[in-house]
Amino acid sequence: MADFHYQCNLRDIEFNLFEYLKIQETTLGRGEFSSMDEDTARETLRGLQSLCESELAESFVSADREGIGFDGKGNVTLPEGLKKSMAAFYDNDWDRLPVPERLGGFGGPPTLCWAACEMVSGANPSIAFYGFGTFIALVIDALATTEQKMLYVENIIERHWGGSMVLTESDAGSDVGAGRASAKQIEGDLYEIEGVKTFITNGDFDAAENIVHLVLARPEGAEAGTKGLSMFIVPKFWVNDDGSLGERNGAVVTGVEHKMGLNASATCELTLGAHGTCRGLLVGGVHDGIRQMFMVIEQARMSIGVKSAAVLSAAYFNALGYAKERVQGPDLARAREKDAPRVRIIGHPDVRRQLMSLKCHAEGMRALALYAARLQDEIALLKASGQEDEAARLGQRNDLLLPLIKGYSSEKAYELLSVALQVFGGSGYVKDYPMEQYIRDQKIDSLYEGTTHIQALDLLFRKIARDGGATLLALAEEIAASAAEREGEDPLAEARSALRAAVEDLKAIFGALMGKLQQSLYHGGLQANRVLFALSELAIAWLLVEHAALAVEKGRDAKGDEKAYYEGKIASARFFCREVLPNLGASRKVIEAGALDLMELDEAAF
């Protein structure tokens, strides 16, 4: 076992990036990524692996036990161990990986950056959250006026300022358009803002000299709902015209949440305007808040999906290590022999089933996220070369995948963390091992940045409906073509057959649901989660089979650990297609038989 809780699956990350996606051919050395080659990318991953498995992972447990401090006067303090880990991250310039070279960064493509995000999130998710300021700088660089960029972009990057997204209000919850925070124009793009926001990650912390909030508020006279919202740059300390820090702004933390997990991550109530004037700058000088904020929301949603996959992968490695060491009970085949020797629990059938379930899902979630990241690579390159139409087409597929990455990964990872704990038996329930903290820290992933059902409704009524299902159909056809029967002996024949059947089940699911939606939208509400899971598991199965086909080819001449790795890839695909993919058939039957009696039931009967 490692010195600390985290072990990175660098081998599988490299397989995704360089063997399957081949970013050294499709991305690296092209356009804005022209200065990065394969050797540099691999060296980057190895360097970050070393940091994550040591200095970042070191404070994972201690920071959880110590938690944050709050003085009741707007100031949040972080555990010293966590600040030490954060300093190691910034001192080695890892925050600059996604920053373009023109802004002083390394210009890493999305594929490399999301792989890095997995590592940091797996080692210590609080650090990943506190590093959000870098992305806030990129949002401002993309959307703000020239003057706003001059004040904030370089300052955030060079001085490691923090950042947060400020949407939620207690009365509104996920209904963002019902928010009451208001904005009054003073002059030009300068506004005064009033309101109370809740559940604000990074609302305050003492490891940065300034924190830049992106706040949604409704200007005076604006229409109701989400369309009337505008987005504002609201710093903790006002930034003077020369870039220096001015007086404390009236965006003040008035409370912190006491959570079941992520105890080192500050989740705050942020009060605007009640403790001094709260000033903000209208982003870009335009009233287009919800569209602007979706740039932040979609980044956050994917990061949560990646975080869930990361913690599941970490849990798998911990469970695997324990199963290889823990000796308990005889081999089941010799259970009736009184003198049968005790064996390591990895020899027990149910433990092997549990481990393979963890392995194939962790690999599948990673594959799904990095496949989407590869689309993001290409979208960036296409936009830079003026090929907007093709970029838009790939953008629709990327948009289709985001609810899967966030919704499915966060929901399924929580379920499977219980399986990982089960491998440990009673030992998993105590704090000697990280399982209980994994479960506490990860549960929030299915709740914030839009609950699982919000992701499912987004998938069904926006991502699929907006082009009449064309993007979905194109993906299904690509999966079906990939699953077509091969001539001659095919070690993946059973998996391909299951994949073909699942494609037909998916088509039948949507055929049945489209008919039912004509009767009532309630059918969509009742079945959307099931649709999200069905499409997610089909996409993951497809990628696992694609990976396995490549592993069959590469494994012919491989030896030792490499041969074992490729055999594991093949086993993951077979197991997933045999054990998980039949879920689509069951979902098809449920959806085809769906009824509305639950919605007609008197609430007194509940």
Side-chain angles (χ1 to χ4, degrees), residues 147 150-156 159 161 209-210 212 235-249 279 281:
E147 292 77 12
M150 290 176 61
L151 289 177
Y152 287 95
V153 175
E154 182 178 351
N155 266 328
I156 295 174
R159 298 163 73 173
W161 288 356
E209 66 175 2
N210 203 8
V212 180
K236 176 180 177 180
F237 288 96
W238 194 251
V239 181
N240 297 320
D241 291 343
D242 62 358
S244 64
L245 292 184
E247 69 276 13
R248 179 76 181 258
N249 198 17
R279 292 184 287 173
L281 299 174

Side-chain angles (χ1 to χ4, degrees), residues 267 389 498:
T267 304
D389 290 344

Side-chain angles (χ1 to χ4, degrees), residues 531-580:
V531 171
L532 173 69
F533 268 53
L535 182 54
S536 299
E537 289 174 347
L538 176 62
I540 285 174
W542 166 55
L543 290 169
L544 289 178
V545 171
E546 288 271 285
H547 286 192
L550 183 57
V552 168
E553 178 185 331
K554 287 180 169 287
R556 292 192 181 103
D557 300 321
K559 297 179 181 179
D561 289 344
E562 280 296 281
K563 187 173 184 64
Y565 171 77
Y566 290 127
E567 288 176 346
K569 297 297 289 182
I570 297 166
S572 285
R574 286 173 167 168
F575 183 91
F576 194 93
C577 289
R578 183 174 60 249
E579 300 278 337
V580 180

